[in-house]
Amino acid sequence: MQSDHCVHMALLYKSLSRKVLLTSAAMKRRITTDACQILMSPSLTSIDFPDIWTSSSCSDYSSITKSYDDQQTATVIDGRVIAEEITSGITSEVRRMKNATGNIPGLAVIMVGQRRDSQTYVRNKIAACEEAGIKSEISNLPEDCTEDQVLNALSRFHEDPSIHGILVQLPLPQHLDESKILNSVHLEKDVDGFHPLNMGNLAMRGREPLFLPCTPKGCIELLIRSGVEITGKRAVVIGRSNIVGLPTSLLLQRHHATVSIVHAFTRNPEQIAREADIVVAAAGVPNLVRGSWLKPGAIVIDVGTNPVEDPSCEFGYRLIGDVCYEEASRVASAITPVPGGVGPVTVAMLLLNTLESAKRAHNFA
């Protein structure tokens, strides 16, 4: 299995190198014909190749059983308990704001299509809003809706003063321009934190984004509330998506960790991960990170939520993480479970961002 992985990665590197060389050659030709083209380096979007992971992990999930439970040494970071603590504080602030101003925070969700997992996530968010006393609205659009229909829904929520946060549930159908839609969310209502200005301010020292992306913000909160010292530690983020991997790496840097990013083109990812004090797995590949990827005593934050078929479960599937929990829990000193780890705290961060937006809108301290 490992040799197949190495061969596949070698082919990927060869293909990538060829594309870069061809791009550079094309640039050289353009220099002689285009006075505006001065640099040989290609545009960044032209080399935005997709991360296609080849996991060396076991794909037969049924072979990884609960037999390891009695050997677990890692402390479980219980995201549900932490989320309840945060939500309790949010609920109190919502009540205080309502008593003082007569207003409550409002969150709008735009849902396109009928993806079962997305419907579950949206239900959880709406239920959390109800628990905290936050108003919520949903705009359900059909799978084949046009881009204009999504933008029109956005416009309605932009103009509604009772809505302080707007969330576009991802992923969107392929025929829709996800970047264009996310960029259309007004900065002051971008409670997901995906607006380029929010991301840019996150990346720059001395700048404060209006909103931090919910999952990265939740990861940091899990670490801090678990007593983990981030400053000076070596952190490895596995995955570099705009939603989780990239902002998590930026946020860890802002907390003074020394950060490495592992992606599908990284050579020797296991070796790099084994050097980390803190590992954040966000590749979207089930059981990618095995026990052999971790150094003893590492802190593991597993962002992955991968559905795998399981007829014994209520909905015919169960969720597993990017980390092989049964192996990692025998090596790590602390680990988040899936489900019940990062997910609940991410929802709590969404509620908090919505509350903060409402406070700004009503000048309520």
Side-chain angles (χ1 to χ4, degrees), residues 191-223:
V191 289
D192 252 343
F194 296 153
H195 192 285
L197 283 177
N198 274 323
M199 293 289 281
N201 285 328
L202 171 60
M204 299 177 69
R205 295 185 65 187
R207 302 288 185 90
E208 186 74 35
L210 276 181
F211 304 102
L212 291 173
C214 300
T215 299
K217 186 176 182 178
C219 290
I220 296 297
E221 191 68 18
L222 283 165
L223 290 170

Side-chain angles (χ1 to χ4, degrees), residues 98-205:
K98 182 178 181 180
N99 291 338
T101 70
N103 298 297
I104 61 171
L107 174 69
V109 179
I110 296 176
M111 171 78 182
V112 180
Q114 301 292 321
R115 278 179 62 109
R116 188 166 56 178
D117 55 347
S118 291
Q119 289 175 328
T120 300
Y121 299 147
V122 168
R123 278 197 303 270
N124 291 341
K125 291 166 185 174
I126 298 304
C129 283
E130 184 176 345
E131 179 185 348
I134 293 175
K135 169 187 173 180
S136 61
E137 290 190 21
I138 306 179
S139 176
N140 286 299
L141 298 173
E143 179 84 17
D144 60 352
C145 72
T146 65
E147 204 167 89
D148 283 343
Q149 287 177 290
V150 180
L151 295 176
N152 287 339
L154 273 176
S155 295
R156 289 197 303 274
F157 291 135
H158 286 149
E159 296 167 5
D160 186 343
S162 71
I163 296 297
H164 306 97
I166 301 172
L167 179 150
V168 179
Q169 182 64 38
L170 302 177
L172 293 172
Q174 289 187 352
H175 71 279
L176 298 176
D177 187 337
E178 187 173 287
S179 296
K180 178 181 177 181
I181 290 169
L182 293 180
N183 291 349
S184 298
V185 179
H186 287 183
L187 183 64
E188 66 273 14
K189 296 190 178 186
D190 174 38
V191 289
D192 252 343
F194 296 153
H195 192 285
L197 283 177
N198 274 323
M199 293 289 281
N201 285 328
L202 171 60
M204 299 177 69
R205 295 185 65 187

Side-chain angles (χ1 to χ4, degrees), residues 44-67:
L44 293 180
T45 54
S46 73
I47 55 172
D48 274 344
F49 304 121
D51 275 354
I52 302 173
W53 291 87
T54 301
S55 172
S56 59
S57 63
C58 176
S59 59
D60 181 10
Y61 308 115
S62 61
S63 69
I64 302 176
T65 68
K66 297 290 185 181
S67 61

